[in-house]
Every structure is written in structure tokens, then in C-alpha cells.
Amino acid sequence: MALTAISTVHHLPLSSDSTKISLRPRSNHQTTTDAPANHRRHGFAINIPNTISNLLHIGTARPSIPEELFTNSGDRKTPTISPKENISSLRDAIHGRADWSNLLDPLHPWLRREIVKYGEFAQATYDAFDFNPFSEFCGSSLYSRRRLFKKLGLSKNGYGVTKYIHAMSNVELPRWLERSLHADTWSKDSNWMGYVAVSDDEESRRIGCRDIVVAWRGTVSPAEWLEDLQGKLEPLRDDDDDDDDDDDAKVEHGFLSIYTSKSEATRYNKSSASEQVMEEIKRLVAYYRERGEEVSLTVTGHSLGGALALLNAHEAATSISDLPVNVISFGAPRVGNDAFGDQLLEKGVKVLRVVVKQDMVPKLPGVLLNEGLKRFEAVTGEIEWVYTHVGLELCLDVKQSPYLKHGFDLSGFHSLETYLHLVDGYLSKQDGYRRSARRDIALVNKFGGMLRNELRIPAGWYQMANKGMVRNAYGRWVQPEREPEDIPSPYRDCRPVVLPESL
Amino acid sequence: MALTAISTVHHLPLSSDSTKISLRPRSNHQTTTDAPANHRRHGFAINIPNTISNLLHIGTARPSIPEELFTNSGDRKTPTISPKENISSLRDAIHGRADWSNLLDPLHPWLRREIVKYGEFAQATYDAFDFNPFSEFCGSSLYSRRRLFKKLGLSKNGYGVTKYIHAMSNVELPRWLERSLHADTWSKDSNWMGYVAVSDDEESRRIGCRDIVVAWRGTVSPAEWLEDLQGKLEPLRDDDDDDDDDDDAKVEHGFLSIYTSKSEATRYNKSSASEQVMEEIKRLVAYYRERGEEVSLTVTGHSLGGALALLNAHEAATSISDLPVNVISFGAPRVGNDAFGDQLLEKGVKVLRVVVKQDMVPKLPGVLLNEGLKRFEAVTGEIEWVYTHVGLELCLDVKQSPYLKHGFDLSGFHSLETYLHLVDGYLSKQDGYRRSARRDIALVNKFGGMLRNELRIPAGWYQMANKGMVRNAYGRWVQPEREPEDIPSPYRDCRPVVLPESL
């Protein structure tokens, strides 16, 4: 019988200062922020930031921003999209079974672009999530699967969403499940938890295969659920491994529960998230293989979503043994024990864990009981109950970016937009933030306040006008009706899904 | 020499719970919120709320709202504007020198409508204020005076704005002056502090006189400035009273400083708020009197703005002795000593102080040293250094409204929108909230969270999409340029002001 480990989880205070604005520059930025003022005061003839920006051909400079921030990304007139190149020659390495390790240090620009692409797919699960407890559709996607990418400006990536995934939970992971305050609501038991998408013909040609993506939603703030994460390991049923009970893979109870829970009494989870997603993956793989195409699966997710991505990848690799399965996770916690990691390795699942050094979440669960204990195997003896990370790690550092505040900000360190900003600027372990990074820096402050004040981007600016309220014909402010197409429906969502129009 | 009193000001903790949402109804509402659920559970044939709303012809009822909330105002399809009646027959009582006292209990519906009108003029100074520290126009009005009422939906009132007032301060009333984080900004020293408006021909006919309004901006949250209010009385210079030094009126130092400060080094306060507003009042009075019209002045303001209104009224009545001067203030603190109050009375200034019983601000300054001490005159001897309220009081009670939470909420009690909601429903000291109140209840939650959750209005919903950020042609999120017409300009604002087009 296997032991069950309870790992220690520290209660981490949320930084309440992260969104506050100070009229005074932080003392460690004193020199740079004071410099432009000095120029004016002493009547210097040369405006240094302006001169640099003129040399770089980046348009009008604003004098109060420190010189170091005048890269392409700091300016308002550079396109935000990195060049799209045909990367099919590296298909095996990027989207196949071949290892990523040669592409990580320095980070290959093609892989960097792909990581950002998948990160934006994961980000979409936040940006389109209805968090409003007064909305009768709280916990659903604001937009139907057909309009999701268009509404979020992600159509440029050349994918179409084929199915939405919903999840429920029997366990108390506090507040991961958002609920409406309405008595009548689209669903009391389920939340929109992610989606399946597939590359269109053009994108498939560019990357060298038909790419199925599964993106899993996480939780925006680590405090929401990590504080009470029990870290209770539970056996992962894997029919292939019945013969070897000692190697039983075990995974965190709460994650598994979200992935596998279902109930006949619900509208959206008569089948579990696992069943929904696997049915769709199998359908798409069969469809494209019948047409003679190479198919790959990339599972992505941030935070809790990264944990679900690993469970999903494990299941997909088990069910469809010859399918290349890649996982790109962002700020994901540990999920299972050593045997679970070994199984993923045996099944050929490639895992890239993108991690921000200052983010606490990837240190959980198992702050004490983790893969670091392997050194003491002789002492600890049985180590199957210890949490372990799986795969390669791309380690980012908040200090690499000149645009970010360096103060303690638990939410900011964990935010997926912080991750994507750091990936976009990452060159290698030694190099600093790349000058040619083009992703819009303002996105970092969508939900948080990590950007330095000199950039003049308000903290948490991603918000609807009047929290979505509209003034009706009678002059009253009311919750708007959703457009019929965006109203969730278990019937529409459960019918055999039509492939994206572009295919 | 007069004594200077330092009154005691309590440090009041801000309720941080006011905007939190609970999935469970408050225990004191248990019965009402549970009722509809019970109806469904037991399969009652009659939906009581629906029946009531059908009787009242108020459209579709939503079953989860307690029955008591189904008045006209709770529904989505009743116009929000109360009937406009010709009130000129009560001109002397409402807009002239005659006393309001006969109209207050029960509150005359014509006066109620006028109070709400002036309250909305005061509210406009918040709704149009640029609070964004990343905006280069932080501290100004978002809209030019010509567009203010149109942008805020106040054109219905039949007034035109003729001048904006700006104020600076030499004293430390913490945070009343909002500043931009920009190095280059429209003004480092001044804030938009209010405006002068005048009734158009139609509205003047309706109310029986040409009505000049001055609306003064206050501060949104009491904690912003009240915590450090020193309550230091300072002599108010009044040239008419030079002969009677013992009767010297004294007013709170901080309020007076905002009203009278000026500096040649500034762009917007080469003249003080006092000078700006008095120049405009005199100009308008002369203009309309020359045309043989009856002219009245109504000064309004909330919180700090109510204090400024009193100073302004005192000065206007002193300068133009035959002008009827009315003050309608909302949640205003005490301003001066007994002699100041006596002078206002002598000058014939009518003051109506609208006060919410639960609001702390009207109790300041002078929580201990106030007009209540008059009883002990024999003991205290000299009472000129004691703060006193002036005029009639219309006392509202949060508990009168069935729509409001009753928990402690310092900001909510003080919010001007709470005041306007309670005025709209007020009948008399004895009666409950009036069923025929029509003002949109959702407005209460513009900046706060006083509305009961059953009404499904998010707390603090008054917000710009993406905090005003816009996505530019290059795909980058940036602070938008203001429309040229709305960019503040000391030259435009200081030129002789054209009268509203409608006049």
C-alpha cells in the first residue's frame, strides 16, 4: 500500500501594495527617473532618450521615461507581432517527439514564438472568462467558441476552436469554481475550463503538421486556491499499468477531481472534462489521419491549468500511443509523484515548464517533499510519495526585464501576462532582455501592476466599461442581455462539433 | 484676540468589506431572500412578486428579488425622470428668500425634485473628474464645459455651464488635490473644483426665475482628507464687519485656503477660486438684471464641496446684498463658528443641509466642540471658537430604503449617490421609502457597494473600458489623446465666457 503524503503549504500573504501608485519614484529607480528632470532644469541641449530613440527609428520619445526603457517595445508605433516564418524544417524538434533541450539556451526564436502562441491560447481562457457574480452566465465564456479568437484578437494565429470543455469538482479547491449570484443561472455546478482548437491549413503548412491544441484555464490569483491545497496524492488509474502496482502513479487529489468529476444531475458535466477533451482529441486525430496528415497534440495551461494539462497529456499519450504529445505549461504547480513523472517519460510526453524564478506556485505542492530529496534516497528509502516536476524547465527572472518593478508581488510574479512578457524578451540564461521584443508591454498590467510607473500603464486596466452594465432605452443601468450566439447551451455544446469553417 | 480651537477628529477605519460579495444572504435578510426559493421548492402556483408587479404594471418580475423591492424603481422599464411641473408659483419658497421649513416635513415633491437636480449638478463634478494618475490631465474635467452636461446626460435639466472653477491649496488637506504622474501635465498646482451654470429660458420660466448654480467638487471618500483635518479656525475677512471685531466670523483653515489660494506662478490659479466664481456670478447677475429678470443663486456641493458652497454663499450674499442666495449641501462638514453662522443668517442666506444620519462627515470637525454646547453657555463662557452647523437640516436614514444594505459602510453612507437615492425616496420623518420613486437605483453603486446583492448591481461599476486605454493602429494599448475640445486651456478658460448657446 502506498503512503499518502501531506506536503506543507505556506500561507502566502497577497501583496496589497502591488496596485498602489506612488507619486515618488522608488528609491532604487531614483537616478533614472530623476535624470530627465535634471536635463530640463539645467537646460541641456541634448535630450538623450530622444537621441537614442531617433537612432533606433522608433518615433517620438517621451522625456520622463528612463533611457533603458527606450527599446522597440517601449514605443507606441512598432507592430506588436513578431515575424511569422515557415518553421516546418524544425517540425520534429518543435512539434514532434524530438527533444527541445537544444533549443532552450539560447532560446531558438522559432520556439520562443511558439511558446508565446500557446501562452496566448492559455491567456484566452482568462480574458474571455465571465468573472461577474451578478451575471447569470458567471463562470462561462463570454463568447461562443466560434467568436472566441476573433473577439480576443487571436485569429492571427491561424487556429479554430472546435470544442469547449467544462469541469466540475467534488473537492473543495476554494474559489476555483466561479458561481453566479443568480438563482437561475446557466450552470450551478460547472465552469468553462478550456477548449480544443486546431490549426488551419496555412498554419499547418507553416509548422509542418496539423496541430491540435488544448488550452486549460487556471486561476488568476494564486491565493485563491493554493492556500488550502492539501497536497493529498491519489492513485491515477492507468489501465496499462495494472501489472505493476508498486509503480502506481499518484497525482494531487484536487487536480484529478477537477479533471475527472461528472454527475448526471448537471447540465454540462454529464461527462467529465477528461471525457469531453479525449473524445474531441480522438475525433480530430482520426479525422486528419484519415486524410493522411501528420497530427500533433500540444496541451497548454497556466497555474492550475498547467496541472490539468499534464493530466490531459498523460491520458492522451496513453490512449493514442503514436501521437506526439507536447505540454507547454506556465507557472504550473507539481502534479504527481515520481512514478507519474516516469510514466510521462515512458509514454514520450514532452514537457516544457515555463517558470518565473520569483513565482511561488511552481514550488507547490511539495515545498519540502519534492524531487530535491532524490539525493537522500538512501535515507528516505521509499520516495514514491514525493511530488516531482516533470520535463524541461525554461526559467525566467523578473529582474531580466527593465520594464518590471522588482518589489515583492505574489500575484504579479504568477501572472501569465508577466510570463509572456518575459518569454518574449528572453534570449538565454546569460543575456538580458532582448531589445527587439515586440509584444505589447502594456499587456503585463492587464490584471496586475508589475509595470514600472514611468510606462504610464494603469494597473489592472483590463476591464469592461461600467462592468458590463448598459443603459437601456428607459434610462436605467442594467445587466445586458447576452447576444444569443454567446449564451451557453449544453445542447449546442454537446452536439457533434463542426470543424472550423476555415478547414 | 480670538482663541483658536483644535477640535478632536476621530480616525475612522474605512470599511473594506463594503464591496465584497457574499454568496449567502445577510442573516438579517434571511427571510426575504429565502422566500422566492421556497415558492419554487414547494411548487406554489402563485408567484407573489410577479403578481404584485403585474398589478403595478411594471413589467417582468425576477423571482429571486424580495417582494419588498418590487416598486417602480426596482424594475427595468419605468422612465427614470420624475415629472417636470411648473413650480413658479412657489418661486419665493423654493428659489427665493422665503423659508423652506414648511416644505420639509412632509417633503414637498417640487422641492424634492429640485434637491435631486442640484445634487446631480454636484455629482457631475465627480462623474467628469479625471482621477487617472497616468493621464496627463489628471485633476481636470474629462469634458469641456460645453459638453459636460451632454456627456453626463444632464441636458434634461435645462442649464448651460458658463465657467469652470479651479482651485489650489497652500495647506495640506491630504489627497484632495489629484496630481498626474506625468512630468509634463496640464497643471501641477490646480484641480478642477466646480463650475457655474445658468438656467435656460424654458427652465427659468418653469421655476420662476433665472437661476445661477455653482456646484463645488468634494472628495469621494471621507478617509481621503477627514483623517487629518485639523479643525483650525481662522478669521474670515469680511469688510462689512470691520466695526465689530468681537463678532468676527471664523472658518476652518483648510476650507478657506482652498477657496482663496492663488499664485502668479500657476496657470489656472492666478486668481483664486473665490475670485473666479465671484467674477462670473457678478457678470451673470448684471447681464440678466439688465434684461429685467429675477435672478437667484443656488450654491451646491457634497462633502468638502458643501463647505466651499457655504463660503461661496457667504461671499456672494456679502457682495450682492439683494441677491437671493440658497445653499443646498449634501454630507457637508461644519465650516465655521457661531459668528459665521449668524452672519449667514443676517445676510439672508438660506441653507438646507441634507444629511444622512449614519454619515460621519457632517459630525466633523467639532465632534466635541459644536452647537450642542450652547446649552452650557453659562459654563463655557466664550463660545465663538466652537464649530456650528447653519440652516435647516433634512435628515435621511439609510434604514429607510429597502434597497440598501444596513451594514457599516463609511464610504457608502457618505456617498452622494446614496444621498440622492434617499432624497428621491423620502416622504417625511415618519413614512418609509416612497414607492413612486423613479431615480435609477443602480446609480447608488456607481462608486460604492451599498445596494443589496439581490439587485444584481456590481459595486463600483462606474468605470471606463480598459481604464480609458485604447488599442492604437499598431496594435498597442496606449493612453488615448484627448479630443482637442476637451483639453484644458487656461487661455480658453480665462477668456470672457460666452453664455450658453441656448440663451
Side-chain angles (χ1 to χ4, degrees):
Chain A
M1 202 189 98
L3 288 172
T4 297
I6 310 287
S7 75
T8 308
V9 176
H10 295 284
H11 286 250
L12 302 162
L14 252 183
S15 160
S16 65
D17 282 337
S18 61
T19 57
K20 281 194 189 152
I21 286 151
S22 165
L23 283 171
R24 298 212 180 87
R26 309 180 75 86
S27 56
N28 52 338
H29 299 154
Q30 200 83 38
T31 320
T32 48
T33 50
D34 277 352
N38 284 333
H39 292 164
R40 278 199 309 282
R41 202 171 301 137
H42 302 299
F44 281 180
I46 299 168
N47 180 323
I48 293 175
N50 257 333
T51 310
I52 290 172
S53 67
N54 288 340
L55 284 174
L56 292 170
H57 305 290
I58 57 171
T60 315
R62 288 161 297 172
S64 66
I65 298 190
E67 191 182 325
E68 70 192 276
L69 300 187
F70 277 85
T71 68
N72 282 352
S73 312
D75 130 278
R76 298 159 69 113
K77 294 189 177 170
T78 313
T80 55
I81 300 173
S82 293
K84 253 193 189 182
E85 289 158 314
N86 188 306
I87 63 170
S88 56
S89 60
L90 276 183
R91 186 196 73 190
D92 287 345
I94 293 181
H95 286 100
R97 289 189 174 276
D99 206 343
W100 279 311
S101 49
N102 289 333
L103 306 179
L104 289 180
D105 191 33
L107 181 60
H108 194 291
W110 293 358
L111 180 56
R112 178 171 50 227
R113 201 186 186 289
E114 293 301 287
I115 295 172
V116 170
K117 178 176 86 180
Y118 293 113
E120 288 182 343
F121 285 147
Q123 181 66 38
T125 64
Y126 297 129
D127 292 349
F129 191 72
D130 186 347
F131 287 100
N132 178 2
F134 293 98
S135 158
E136 65 179 305
F137 303 112
C138 176
S140 74
S141 168
L142 292 165
Y143 316 112
S144 75
R145 65 169 180 82
R146 288 174 187 278
R147 309 212 288 182
L148 180 74
F149 285 167
K150 194 167 169 229
K151 286 281 185 180
L152 300 180
L154 292 178
S155 306
K156 62 180 184 192
N157 285 337
Y159 283 66
V161 178
T162 67
K163 184 167 182 164
Y164 273 181
I165 310 299
H166 295 87
M168 62 180 294
S169 177
N170 292 318
V171 296
E172 274 300 312
L173 272 197
R175 289 210 46 205
W176 81 265
L177 192 77
E178 301 283 341
R179 284 180 216 264
S180 174
L181 291 173
H182 275 245
D184 278 322
T185 185
W186 71 287
S187 167
K188 286 175 196 59
D189 317 287
S190 303
N191 268 195
W192 179 51
M193 210 58 201
Y195 60 88
V196 184
V198 63
S199 55
D200 62 19
D201 292 348
E202 188 186 337
E203 176 71 358
S204 301
R205 272 193 300 275
R206 190 184 73 85
I207 63 179
C209 61
R210 185 71 62 173
D211 183 37
I212 301 166
V213 173
V214 184
W216 291 94
R217 188 172 65 83
T219 49
V220 173
S221 164
E224 283 180 10
W225 55 282
L226 275 181
E227 280 190 6
D228 293 82
L229 193 61
Q230 290 297 310
K232 198 172 101 187
L233 281 169
E234 178 175 314
L236 180 68
R237 271 196 54 195
D238 180 350
D239 297 335
D240 291 2
D241 274 345
D242 278 348
D243 52 336
D244 189 358
D245 270 348
D246 277 1
D247 266 1
D248 254 357
K250 292 185 184 63
V251 294
E252 209 283 324
H253 170 68
F255 303 150
L256 189 62
S257 170
I258 293 173
Y259 188 62
T260 58
S261 290
K262 60 178 175 178
S263 161
E264 271 305 318
T266 65
R267 296 176 75 197
Y268 285 84
N269 279 105
K270 297 194 193 302
S271 61
S272 66
S274 152
E275 289 164 353
Q276 292 168 39
V277 72
M278 286 312 302
E279 182 192 356
E280 183 66 2
I281 291 171
K282 284 175 188 164
R283 190 178 74 85
L284 291 172
V285 170
Y287 179 87
Y288 290 107
R289 283 193 169 166
E290 205 163 280
R291 295 165 55 159
E293 297 190 27
E294 295 279 343
V295 183
S296 69
L297 172 68
T298 312
V299 195
T300 188
H302 165 251
S303 189
L304 167 63
L308 298 173
L310 221 52
L311 295 175
N312 184 192
H314 183 279
E315 187 175 20
T318 306
S319 295
I320 315 168
S321 58
D322 55 347
L323 180 71
V325 179
N326 301 328
V327 174
I328 299 184
S329 74
F330 300 86
R334 293 188 183 87
V335 175
N337 63 358
D338 223 40
F340 175 66
D342 288 346
Q343 286 188 4
L344 282 166
L345 209 65
E346 283 160 23
K347 293 171 198 289
V349 175
K350 261 164 64 178
V351 180
L352 179 60
R353 295 185 312 105
V354 185
V355 165
V356 166
K357 193 178 149 188
Q358 287 83 359
D359 185 6
M360 286 302 294
V361 174
K363 300 176 173 59
L364 302 169
V367 170
L368 299 177
L369 307 176
N370 58 45
E371 62 277 6
L373 287 182
K374 278 199 181 164
R375 290 176 286 168
F376 309 111
E377 195 166 344
V379 184
T380 55
E382 186 172 356
I383 59 157
E384 61 158 319
W385 45 271
V386 173
Y387 280 96
T388 185
H389 270 312
V390 186
L392 296 168
E393 182 178 279
L394 176 64
C395 186
L396 311 167
D397 187 338
V398 164
K399 296 208 172 76
Q400 279 170 332
S401 164
Y403 305 96
L404 301 183
K405 293 173 183 166
H406 293 169
F408 182 76
D409 180 350
L410 184 62
S411 286
F413 296 153
H414 184 54
S415 155
L416 180 50
E417 285 290 0
T418 303
Y419 273 75
L420 297 181
H421 167 72
L422 291 171
V423 171
D424 193 43
Y426 186 86
L427 287 167
S428 74
K429 280 178 187 160
Q430 303 85 267
D431 290 305
Y433 200 85
R434 113 187 137 104
R435 291 252 150 179
S436 52
R438 291 191 174 180
R439 202 161 179 278
D440 188 6
I441 288 168
L443 297 171
V444 171
N445 270 13
K446 251 186 193 172
F447 294 106
M450 284 284 285
L451 286 180
R452 291 174 59 177
N453 286 342
E454 296 90 320
L455 292 164
R456 299 172 190 169
I457 308 296
W461 58 263
Y462 190 77
Q463 61 180 30
M464 274 189 280
N466 302 317
K467 297 200 175 174
M469 302 252 290
V470 292
R471 206 163 180 198
N472 72 13
Y474 303 90
R476 295 190 181 276
W477 288 94
V478 296
Q479 297 282 352
E481 311 287 327
R482 264 209 199 173
E483 291 183 42
E485 194 190 330
D486 292 330
I487 294 176
S489 155
Y491 311 106
R492 187 168 55 208
D493 291 351
C494 286
R495 262 179 296 166
V497 177
V498 181
L499 293 169
E501 284 74 70
S502 60
L503 297 179
Chain B
M1 199 188 100
L3 286 173
T4 298
I6 310 286
S7 75
T8 307
V9 177
H10 295 285
H11 285 250
L12 303 160
L14 251 183
S15 161
S16 65
D17 282 337
S18 60
T19 57
K20 280 195 190 153
I21 287 150
S22 164
L23 283 170
R24 298 210 181 89
R26 310 180 75 86
S27 57
N28 53 338
H29 301 152
Q30 200 83 37
T31 321
T32 47
T33 51
D34 276 353
N38 285 335
H39 292 164
R40 277 197 310 281
R41 203 171 301 136
H42 303 299
F44 281 1
I46 299 169
N47 180 322
I48 292 175
N50 258 332
T51 309
I52 290 172
S53 67
N54 288 341
L55 284 173
L56 293 169
H57 305 288
I58 57 168
T60 315
R62 289 161 296 170
S64 67
I65 298 191
E67 191 184 326
E68 69 190 275
L69 299 187
F70 278 84
T71 68
N72 281 353
S73 311
D75 131 277
R76 297 160 68 113
K77 293 189 177 171
T78 312
T80 55
I81 299 173
S82 292
K84 253 192 188 183
E85 289 158 315
N86 188 307
I87 63 171
S88 56
S89 60
L90 276 183
R91 186 195 73 190
D92 287 345
I94 293 181
H95 287 99
R97 289 189 174 278
D99 206 344
W100 278 311
S101 51
N102 289 333
L103 306 178
L104 289 179
D105 191 32
L107 180 61
H108 194 291
W110 293 358
L111 181 57
R112 179 172 49 228
R113 200 185 187 288
E114 294 300 288
I115 295 172
V116 169
K117 179 177 87 179
Y118 293 113
E120 289 182 343
F121 284 147
Q123 181 68 36
T125 64
Y126 297 129
D127 293 349
F129 191 71
D130 186 345
F131 287 100
N132 177 2
F134 292 98
S135 157
E136 63 179 307
F137 303 113
C138 176
S140 73
S141 168
L142 291 165
Y143 316 112
S144 76
R145 65 170 180 82
R146 288 173 188 280
R147 309 213 287 182
L148 180 75
F149 285 166
K150 193 166 170 229
K151 285 283 184 178
L152 300 180
L154 293 178
S155 306
K156 62 181 185 193
N157 285 337
Y159 283 68
V161 178
T162 68
K163 184 165 182 166
Y164 273 0
I165 309 298
H166 294 88
M168 62 179 293
S169 178
N170 292 320
V171 295
E172 274 300 310
L173 271 199
R175 288 208 51 203
W176 81 265
L177 192 76
E178 301 282 342
R179 283 179 216 264
S180 173
L181 291 173
H182 274 247
D184 280 320
T185 184
W186 71 286
S187 167
K188 285 175 198 59
D189 317 288
S190 303
N191 267 194
W192 179 52
M193 210 59 202
Y195 60 88
V196 184
V198 63
S199 55
D200 63 19
D201 292 350
E202 187 187 338
E203 176 70 359
S204 302
R205 271 193 301 275
R206 188 184 74 83
I207 62 180
C209 61
R210 184 71 62 173
D211 184 36
I212 301 165
V213 173
V214 184
W216 292 95
R217 188 172 66 83
T219 49
V220 173
S221 163
E224 283 180 10
W225 56 281
L226 276 181
E227 280 193 6
D228 293 83
L229 193 61
Q230 290 297 311
K232 198 172 103 189
L233 282 169
E234 179 176 312
L236 181 68
R237 272 195 55 195
D238 181 350
D239 299 335
D240 291 2
D241 275 344
D242 278 348
D243 52 336
D244 190 358
D245 270 348
D246 277 0
D247 265 0
D248 253 358
K250 292 187 185 60
V251 294
E252 209 284 324
H253 169 69
F255 303 150
L256 188 62
S257 169
I258 293 173
Y259 187 63
T260 58
S261 290
K262 60 178 174 176
S263 160
E264 271 303 320
T266 65
R267 295 176 76 197
Y268 285 85
N269 279 105
K270 296 193 194 303
S271 61
S272 66
S274 153
E275 289 165 351
Q276 292 167 39
V277 73
M278 286 312 303
E279 183 191 356
E280 183 66 2
I281 291 171
K282 285 175 189 166
R283 189 178 74 87
L284 291 173
V285 170
Y287 179 87
Y288 289 108
R289 284 193 170 167
E290 205 163 280
R291 293 166 55 159
E293 297 191 27
E294 295 278 344
V295 183
S296 70
L297 173 68
T298 313
V299 195
T300 188
H302 165 251
S303 190
L304 168 63
L308 298 174
L310 221 51
L311 294 176
N312 185 191
H314 184 278
E315 187 175 18
T318 307
S319 295
I320 316 170
S321 58
D322 55 347
L323 180 71
V325 179
N326 301 329
V327 173
I328 298 184
S329 74
F330 301 85
R334 293 189 182 87
V335 175
N337 64 357
D338 223 40
F340 176 66
D342 289 345
Q343 287 187 5
L344 283 165
L345 210 65
E346 284 160 24
K347 292 171 198 291
V349 174
K350 262 165 64 180
V351 179
L352 179 60
R353 295 183 313 106
V354 186
V355 165
V356 166
K357 194 177 149 189
Q358 288 82 359
D359 184 6
M360 285 302 293
V361 175
K363 299 177 173 59
L364 301 171
V367 171
L368 299 176
L369 307 176
N370 59 44
E371 63 276 5
L373 286 184
K374 278 200 179 160
R375 291 175 285 168
F376 308 110
E377 195 166 347
V379 184
T380 54
E382 186 172 357
I383 59 156
E384 61 159 317
W385 46 271
V386 173
Y387 281 96
T388 185
H389 270 312
V390 186
L392 297 167
E393 182 178 278
L394 175 64
C395 187
L396 310 167
D397 188 338
V398 164
K399 295 207 172 74
Q400 280 170 332
S401 165
Y403 305 96
L404 300 183
K405 294 173 183 167
H406 292 169
F408 181 76
D409 180 351
L410 184 62
S411 286
F413 297 152
H414 184 54
S415 155
L416 180 50
E417 285 290 359
T418 303
Y419 272 74
L420 297 181
H421 168 72
L422 291 171
V423 172
D424 192 43
Y426 186 85
L427 288 167
S428 73
K429 279 178 186 158
Q430 303 84 265
D431 289 305
Y433 200 87
R434 113 189 136 102
R435 292 254 151 179
S436 52
R438 291 191 172 181
R439 201 161 178 279
D440 188 6
I441 288 169
L443 297 172
V444 171
N445 271 12
K446 250 187 192 173
F447 294 106
M450 285 285 285
L451 287 179
R452 290 174 60 177
N453 286 342
E454 296 90 320
L455 292 164
R456 298 173 192 168
I457 308 297
W461 58 262
Y462 190 77
Q463 60 180 32
M464 276 190 277
N466 302 316
K467 298 201 174 172
M469 302 251 291
V470 292
R471 206 164 177 197
N472 72 11
Y474 304 89
R476 297 192 179 275
W477 288 94
V478 296
Q479 297 282 351
E481 310 288 325
R482 266 210 196 170
E483 290 182 45
E485 194 190 330
D486 292 330
I487 294 177
S489 155
Y491 311 106
R492 187 166 57 208
D493 290 354
C494 287
R495 263 178 298 166
V497 176
V498 181
L499 293 170
E501 283 74 71
S502 60
L503 297 179

